Amino acid sequence: MGGTYALRDLAGRTVTSNSLRGRWNVVYFGYSRCTDTCPVALPTIVQAAKDLNEKGIAARAVFVDIAPPSGAIMPRNTDVAYSAHGHHDPARSIKAQQEVANRCGSSLLSLTGSRNQLNAATVAFQVRREHTPARPLETGHSINHTSFIYLVSPTGEVRKYLYHTATPDDLVRAVRTASSGS
């Protein structure tokens, strides 16, 4: 699990799997407009990275926004009727990404990419995703997705993954255990 990928940050700079090496990365794949698991996981990964840094373990929180680039969303279930709300609005996604970044602060590295870049990253981490009609309080469409938090070592290896319900302390313990086994 893991591998080579290239995405971009909110400023449009390229971030690769190689450029993330050198510290622990606490990685979560989701989407900015999510009202389900992402609002639980994102503050957790930010706090875990902060706690690790305070304990002398270099770490960063990384959020990969898996929302697709502009274009039509093709439903898997042909019985589902999609209206204009079934299409991706890039301006809305950029605004949602900025809102997540503002809520989580500068300690969250928020990444996204083209459809091909996102496919490569989700395949590398074995993230499943399926576009569905919007959940309550969401606009556009929803994305059912794997909700794991990945702990990626300074050498780029996925050393462990935990459910999005893990606490910052759970993540810190897992990194410390994985670090001592290195």
Side-chain angles (χ1 to χ4, degrees):
M1 190 178 301
T4 304
Y5 54 89
L7 298 166
R8 65 178 185 276
D9 66 14
L10 293 179
R13 293 178 296 251
T14 298
V15 177
T16 67
S17 48
N18 285 333
S19 65
L20 291 177
R21 291 182 179 204
R23 65 173 79 177
W24 282 91
N25 288 285
V26 184
V27 181
Y28 187 76
F29 287 79
Y31 65 107
S32 299
R33 296 175 296 97
C34 179
T35 59
D36 191 23
T37 61
C38 299
V40 173
L42 294 178
T44 299
I45 68 170
V46 168
Q47 186 62 50
K50 179 181 175 202
D51 293 349
L52 286 163
N53 283 307
E54 288 174 358
K55 294 178 184 326
I57 300 172
R60 116 184 80 221
V62 180
F63 171 56
V64 180
D65 191 328
I66 61 173
S70 61
I73 303 303
M74 299 306 295
R76 290 180 187 248
N77 178 353
T78 56
D79 294 336
V80 176
Y82 275 71
S83 67
H85 295 293
H87 295 277
H88 179 67
D89 179 351
R92 187 182 305 145
S93 286
I94 291 167
K95 182 180 178 195
Q97 285 176 318
Q98 290 294 346
E99 288 171 0
V100 166
N102 292 341
R103 274 195 314 271
C104 293
S106 61
S107 57
L108 178 69
L109 176 59
S110 185
L111 304 174
T112 192
S114 69
R115 192 175 298 270
N116 286 340
Q117 289 172 319
L118 290 170
N119 283 339
T122 57
V123 166
F125 284 84
Q126 300 176 18
V127 174
R128 291 185 321 256
R129 58 192 170 140
E130 178 181 28
H131 299 273
T132 63
R135 291 184 186 98
L137 304 179
E138 286 183 358
T139 55
H141 65 281
S142 292
I143 305 172
N144 288 336
H145 60 87
T146 305
S147 60
F148 289 128
I149 297 171
Y150 301 87
L151 302 177
V152 182
S153 76
T155 60
E157 300 171 77
V158 175
R159 297 295 297 272
K160 188 166 183 75
Y161 53 92
L162 295 90
Y163 285 109
H164 75 280
T165 54
T167 66
D169 287 341
D170 294 334
L171 298 172
V172 168
R173 272 192 301 280
V175 166
R176 290 183 109 170
T177 299
S179 293
S180 64
S182 300

